[in-house]
Amino acid sequence: MVAGNMRAELARHYDLEPSLKAAEATAEIHARLARVMPFADWARHAPYVLAINRLKRDRNAVILAHNYMTPDIFHGVADVVGDSLQLAIKASEVEADVIVQGGVHFMAETSKILNPSKTVLMPDMEAGCSLAESITPEGIAEMRARYPGAPVVSYVNTTAAVKAASDVCCTSSNAAQIVAAMESDTVIMTPDQYLAQNVARQVPQKRVVWWAGACIVHERFTAGDLREFRQYQPDTVIIAHPECTPDVVNEADFSGSTSGIIDYVSKHRPAKAMLVTECSMASNIADALPEVEFVGPCNMCPYMKMITLEKILWSLHTMTTAVEVDPGVAEGARRAVQRMIDLSLKAAK
Ligand code: 13P
Ligand code: SF4
């Protein structure tokens, strides 16, 4: 649907004009993002937030939102927020009829795989991921031929078909645990070469080999940039996502999944923090941590940013577009994702 047509059609059903009255009615939500969005700006978002939250009740729907969603989505309409692992676990537990995925396509597929009887809606089917696009089941077969007998650990940032061709999945929060739990000395990790190299350092007892994919958001950060930044702001605590290169992770004070990053900053509350990851991360936690000044560069994920309040409203209004996964593929993918969840929960005990 062309943006202009979508807007016109939605305006026939909902009052979506900027409204101070709507902003006042949702002032409690605005208080959670006031540091990053002036009240006048919130007046543009509030009508959408009210319409979506009403429609969610009518449709018996929940919104699962990744930590990279913009603050209006993260604080305004999400029922569950989290990193990839947390969202996958929550998706498997959803009792509502409909899941709207605030995130990218592989996340919606994972929700469908784990809870197949639910309608899983993707507000924009084009919201992909450079990692998921970098590998196919043929690539997995190629790696298996190159390293016979070695298990394949695939990042959840992959298509259902790639998951089905893998032995087990991992996310950034459990990758080292999953690799360590493999019985073989050699472990194949796909498709993120940098996550694999970072894990290889954490699990020296394994020989980790990898596929050469990369995240277009995280590979742009350089260790040189971080060193230069530290020269001028030496008191900054630097926290990097493990999709960054090992050089960048080396320069950081801490590395972890998106929720790991949030937990670390919330616990340590440094005066200055640089989150070497997607830009919405700092925006989403800025109000909860007023004593922390977020400094330095961040990069936007063009795919995550395709998800907007308008598209979420359209998705719930029209009940499109539902994500479907071939049942045979889903069964194989479910085995790999469930094995990951079981190993993570076992390690957490
Ligand atoms: P997390 O699992 O850390 O949330 O990462 C997902 C992702 O796509 C990061 O780029
Ligand atoms: Fe994919 Fe990188 Fe965007 Fe995460 S940030 S969804 S890994 S492109």
Side-chain angles (χ1 to χ4, degrees), residues 66-68 82-85 104 106-107 129 131 155-157 171-173 215 217-218 241-243 256-260 277-278 304:
H66 186 259
N67 292 324
Y68 289 166
D83 66 12
S84 306
L85 179 63
V104 292
F106 76 81
M107 295 178 174
C129 166
L131 282 167
Y155 202 25
V156 281
N157 299 38
T171 71
S172 58
S173 66
C215 162
V217 176
H218 290 92
H241 194 275
E243 288 169 14
S257 76
T258 54
S259 288
T277 185
E278 217 277 344
M304 291 279 184

Side-chain angles (χ1 to χ4, degrees), residues 157-172:
N157 299 38
T158 45
T159 61
V162 166
K163 288 181 175 76
S166 307
D167 293 286
V168 61
C169 286
C170 73
T171 71
S172 58

